[in-house]
Amino acid sequence: MRIDCLLARGARLFPDVPAVIDAQASLSHAALHAEVGRIAACLRQHGVTRGDRVAVLSRNRWEHVALLHAAARLDAVIVPLNWRLSADELGWILQDADPCVVVAEPAFIATVDAQRAHSPDVRLWLALDEVPEGWRGWSEAMAAQSPEPVSALHDPTDVHAVLAQIYTSGTTGRPKGALLTHANVMASVAAISVDFGMKPGQDRHLQVTPLFHVGGLLMTVLCAASCVTLRLLPEFAPAAAARCLSQEPVTHTLMVPAMLQWLLSERGVEARSFAHLRFVAYGAAPMPESLLVQAIDTLGCEFFQGYGLTETSAMLTILSPQDHRDALASGRVERLASAGREMLGVELRVVDRQGRDVPAGQPGEVLARGACVSPGYWRRPEATAESHADGWFRTGDIGVMDEQRYLIIVDRAKDMLIVGGENVYPSEVERVLRNHPRVADCAVIGIPHAMWGEEVLALVVLQPGDEVDARVLIAHCRASLARYKCPTKVEWVGQIPRNAAGKIEKVKLREPHWAGRRRVV
């Protein structure tokens, strides 16, 4: 099934039930379906057709959701942009994605304007809310449109058309656009829908993780498929999330572990009632077992973990609510450290460096295949070939599979950090650090952080005779990178350890910081 069929079903079966609620508006299923038709008509008027890219730069709001469905209706591809990135980072992605339409909210328009000279093929610059010079206003653009009909715009059986292009940083330090098809996303939706148990026309999901992440895309489509209400907060804020969960009929939510930590640290949260809340999903970063037990005690609902990557439509394994209950009932809380077992439609292998399967209990790289796996990267044939080898997708994660096929992720072959649910690639940060005139060499690693999961530590070798304040190097990074990617700590070292091939020995650098912990990520 294609996702553009989903809203029409909701409009037929539950026309008056809210489909999406944000800070500005509440749209019923019928109203959202009509708005998507108008947006599709506007895009079509500006020449958007099959395969064209539609980029959107905004926090969580209903227009972001509607654009996804409108682009799908035209067989175009949505490109959700990370609004936390710097102007240079966004500029590089805009050049690579080559969109014909860019939609942005006011807070980020200045950032985009700085890169407009590098995007000559954009036919429509569409501003949400206030309309600066050189942009067209969203309301004015949509007011004159009649809804574009769903029928006859594409082949309804073409489930392998690309739906979204989501950028994920690569080990080279440059982002790659992972391509996700309708079939990819719907495979993940189908696999998790039973566990989520959403009641059509009744339930409400609170979305606080950003819509530019693959998890946000997945939850948007799941809510449309389930005909439930998608409640959007612009971004995560502990007080707002606690208020929403306790005062509104929210039944489901998705949070990364750092968000749950912030929520549980909010003053007075233990005294609140979460009477409607039935289900919390979490993922994107390791969940400390003590935090999970505290969250279960405080929120008093079912918990669900999903492990996956952008390239696998967010999902590969599931630690189900029943798994959580069994672990707590048996006292085997170590089970909560696992990422669960393969979800429906997924096969996993754990292999050594030669590609041979390792015995249960032994570490190796996790390989996956299934309908949820991306066909590859936009304009990156070499990266696609490298990651999709012999019919299996190389996750780059090191895992251990036990006899019952529960997977524990223990390390990352590609050295990626996860800071509060955000992916950080050390090579990207190292590239920026090495541009500073006083830095002779450097290495970036992740070290434990109680709230974020990991924080960024830069180990720096200075040029002979030079001195520099750590704050200067941190500021240097912040001028070029998103804040969450930048070092929060700097240590001075005499040299960076490298192996015979000249590669930095990251395991050796991480060891003293992760000693005594079950997991090194």
Side-chain angles (χ1 to χ4, degrees), residues 55-181:
V56 54
L57 184 65
S58 84
R59 284 167 289 209
N60 296 351
R61 49 191 293 165
W62 76 265
E63 295 95 337
H64 200 310
V65 173
L67 272 166
L68 167 68
H69 290 280
R73 191 173 293 191
L74 298 175
D75 248 354
V77 179
I78 195 77
V79 183
L81 301 174
N82 183 341
W83 48 264
R84 296 178 177 137
L85 298 180
S86 69
D88 288 346
E89 291 169 310
L90 282 172
W92 195 93
I93 290 175
L94 284 171
Q95 290 180 61
D96 186 72
D98 194 21
C100 61
V101 175
V102 174
V103 181
E105 66 175 325
F108 313 119
I109 282 177
T111 304
V112 177
D113 273 337
Q115 302 298 324
R116 284 185 65 163
H118 304 296
S119 304
D121 296 329
V122 175
R123 297 193 290 271
L124 177 62
W125 298 90
L126 204 53
L128 302 169
D129 306 325
E130 297 92 354
V131 186
E133 184 178 353
W135 291 71
R136 189 174 181 192
W138 174 277
S139 298
E140 178 260 331
M142 302 305 161
Q145 303 294 337
S146 297
E148 185 83 29
V150 177
S151 60
L153 294 184
H154 52 68
D155 178 357
T157 66
D158 186 9
V159 297
H160 300 295
V162 177
L163 167 68
Q165 183 169 313
I166 301 182
Y167 276 81
T168 175
S169 294
T171 54
T172 63
R174 286 299 189 185
K176 300 191 296 290
L179 305 175
L180 297 177
T181 67

Side-chain angles (χ1 to χ4, degrees), residues 53 96 165-170 175-179 309-311 374-388 393-395 414 425:
R53 268 56 185 170
D96 186 72
Q165 183 169 313
I166 301 182
Y167 276 81
T168 175
S169 294
K176 300 191 296 290
L179 305 175
L309 301 87
T310 300
E311 295 93 333
S374 162
Y377 301 104
W378 169 247
R379 296 175 175 171
R380 295 288 189 280
E382 298 87 0
T384 298
E386 181 182 353
S387 61
H388 294 67
F393 174 69
R394 298 184 60 183
T395 67
K414 298 177 182 177
Y425 283 85

Side-chain angles (χ1 to χ4, degrees), residues 11 84 179 186 225 249 293 305 344 410 428:
R84 296 178 177 137
L179 305 175
M186 288 305 297
V293 171
Q305 180 186 177
L344 179 68
V410 295
E428 187 178 18

Side-chain angles (χ1 to χ4, degrees), residues 460-478:
V460 175
V461 180
L462 292 176
Q463 298 287 358
D466 272 347
E467 293 182 0
V468 64
D469 193 291
R471 290 171 296 183
V472 172
L473 293 184
I474 293 171
H476 170 74
C477 292
R478 289 178 178 174

